[in-house]
Amino acid sequence: MKAGIVGLPNVGKSTLFNCLSNAKAQSANFPFCTIEPNIGVVNVPDPRLEKLESLVKPERVIPATVEIVDIAGLVKGASKGEGLGNQFLANIRETDAILHVLRCFENDNIVHVDGSVNPIRDKETIDMELQLKDLETAEKKLDKVKRAAKTGSKEAQAEEAVLLKIKAGLESGTSVRALEFSEDDYADYVKPNQFITDKPVMYVCNVDEGAAVSGNAFVEKVKEAVKDENAEVLVLAVGTEADINELDDYEERQMFLQDIGLDEPGSAKLIRGAYKLLSQQTYFTAGVKEVRAWTVAIGATAPQAAGVIHTDFEKGFIRAEVIGYDDYVNFGSEAKVKEAGKMRVEGKNYIVKDGDVMHFLFNV
């Protein structure tokens, strides 16, 4: 699963990417310095993993990960190929969620592509370009569907109605994610088209150090502007996060955070937020060889969770032995959980819960 970092040039995208991935994407004070999308595989911070490690004392610990893609800055006219628009829009289409970085700080030394700091205008610029690209997609599909609808095809007529609704919404400046559809219509006619503005979004308000804890007037404007969208808003002092990231010593990093009033790096909150945005959750396997966090979709069944480890586990699934995370911690070991009768045996219809500690029995 991939989350793509998007925004106008010079809003802090590549600096944020560097913080998240420890990769060194080129970060320069001019547009289009990131031409190929940089991809970083980022560990998902999870204190539960550390707790399980302390109880089990395994040979190794493997966290869950999420892919973060740094996509070059979009500019006005990108949907028509301005700047490096077509390439960037294609890169966004390949991601599963969007981290939209908005510049919410003043700094005369960092040029703004539009000459002044205005996150609402910046948001609308990006939204419009993505909506125009989606409109193009909807219109192309409509041309095909209309012909079939005229022959009396009920399926085509239903699809035409959905596409006309999407077209009208986009023309009025409403992203696809903000429109309402029935579950069947969404699954059959919306999702297959991979509309860019249907992807879940988190707005990352990039502030200066003084606004890292409680935000600023720019952030309040962003929150007001997106209150009707199904979107997350996160305040992050990206430059400060980069400074913290440069410190090798853990204690120094903690002192730096405390000095500015944070209990953990904002980047950790962002990674967890991206994971949630992608509708992912974690289950664990815990043994002396390895304690590991596995990523599975929210709503996945036990066989689907087993399949994340190996396809044979899913094909030959017999049953799952499941311990709730809290029970594992409260009793301190798998053996004591069993003694207390708290280990459950679950079948093929079991829906995995976030934090389950699982062991699969299978036969191929």
Side-chain angles (χ1 to χ4, degrees):
M1 302 293 282
K2 293 180 186 174
I5 301 175
V6 305
L8 292 179
N10 286 3
V11 296
K13 297 183 309 303
S14 293
T15 308
L16 174 60
F17 175 80
N18 290 340
C19 284
L20 297 178
S21 66
N22 287 326
K24 295 298 174 191
Q26 185 183 354
S27 180
N29 186 20
F30 56 88
F32 307 132
C33 66
T34 313
I35 295 175
E36 292 300 320
N38 288 276
I39 299 177
V41 179
V42 184
N43 291 340
V44 178
D46 194 333
R48 295 174 301 181
L49 199 60
E50 294 165 24
K51 185 64 182 174
L52 288 172
E53 179 186 10
S54 71
L55 293 172
V56 180
K57 297 181 174 53
E59 290 175 19
R60 61 177 182 169
V61 178
I62 303 177
T65 59
V66 61
E67 273 191 17
I68 304 290
V69 186
D70 179 24
I71 298 167
L74 282 171
V75 293
K76 206 173 286 183
S79 58
K80 304 296 181 200
E82 291 293 324
L84 296 167
N86 290 332
Q87 185 181 343
F88 299 164
L89 288 162
N91 292 335
I92 295 169
R93 196 181 293 282
E94 290 167 11
T95 65
D96 303 291
I98 293 172
L99 306 174
H100 185 160
V101 182
L102 295 168
R103 179 171 166 178
C104 294
F105 67 90
E106 300 272 12
N107 186 331
D108 294 339
N109 296 319
I110 301 175
V111 296
H112 189 289
V113 73
D114 286 329
S116 62
V117 177
N118 184 335
I120 307 306
R121 177 200 59 212
D122 295 354
K123 173 191 176 304
E124 288 169 354
T125 298
I126 298 274
D127 283 352
M128 186 173 71
E129 295 306 325
L130 301 185
Q131 287 163 2
L132 286 169
K133 199 65 184 173
D134 277 352
L135 187 57
E136 190 183 298
T137 303
E139 286 173 339
K140 279 181 185 171
K141 193 68 193 278
L142 260 172
D143 287 343
K144 293 178 185 174
V145 170
K146 277 179 175 174
R147 289 193 289 273
K150 282 177 183 171
T151 67
S153 163
K154 298 289 185 199
E155 177 86 3
Q157 287 169 356
E159 186 169 7
E160 182 184 27
V162 169
L163 289 168
L164 286 169
K165 181 177 179 177
I166 289 170
K167 181 174 182 282
L170 291 167
E171 286 173 339
S172 68
T174 304
S175 293
V176 176
R177 78 177 73 85
L179 300 172
E180 290 186 10
F181 305 96
S182 71
E183 274 186 39
D184 288 345
D185 281 352
Y186 181 80
D188 294 342
Y189 311 127
V190 182
K191 194 173 183 183
N193 286 300
Q194 290 186 296
F195 291 110
I196 297 170
T197 65
D198 186 38
K199 297 179 189 296
V201 64
M202 176 190 288
Y203 293 102
V204 181
C205 294
N206 183 11
V207 299
D208 55 26
E209 186 177 312
V213 176
S214 50
N216 56 25
F218 289 131
V219 173
E220 293 310 310
K221 286 177 182 174
V222 171
K223 287 179 178 175
E224 179 61 25
V226 307
K227 68 178 191 294
D228 295 327
E229 287 187 43
N230 185 21
E232 302 276 327
V233 177
L234 182 77
V235 178
L236 200 65
V238 175
T240 305
E241 295 280 331
D243 291 341
I244 294 170
N245 215 35
E246 291 299 315
L247 298 172
D248 294 325
D249 185 72
Y250 174 79
E251 296 298 329
E252 281 185 35
R253 290 199 298 271
Q254 292 304 111
M255 284 172 63
F256 197 141
L257 286 167
Q258 286 170 10
D259 285 347
I260 60 174
L262 295 174
D263 54 359
E264 67 172 344
S267 54
K269 291 176 185 170
L270 187 142
I271 295 163
R272 284 200 299 270
Y275 193 68
K276 188 178 169 189
L277 208 60
L278 292 162
S279 297
Q280 301 297 295
Q281 63 181 359
T282 300
Y283 77 86
F284 302 101
T285 51
V288 289
K289 288 280 184 193
E290 174 183 282
V291 166
R292 183 164 182 162
W294 298 90
T295 299
V296 67
I298 292 170
T301 60
Q304 288 169 332
V308 173
I309 299 175
H310 197 287
T311 50
D312 284 351
F313 283 32
E314 184 171 3
K315 286 177 192 166
F317 180 88
I318 299 170
R319 64 181 182 273
E321 294 176 347
V322 183
I323 302 170
Y325 171 77
D326 289 340
D327 284 336
Y328 202 109
V329 171
N330 288 340
F331 290 97
S333 72
E334 185 177 313
K336 287 179 181 173
V337 170
K338 282 181 180 175
E339 281 174 27
K342 292 289 186 178
M343 177 183 278
R344 307 189 311 276
V345 175
E346 302 286 1
K348 290 182 178 180
N349 296 325
Y350 176 69
I351 304 298
V352 177
K353 295 181 180 64
D354 187 53
D356 278 349
V357 181
M358 305 185 78
H359 175 65
F360 301 104
L361 283 82
F362 70 101
N363 182 28
V364 176

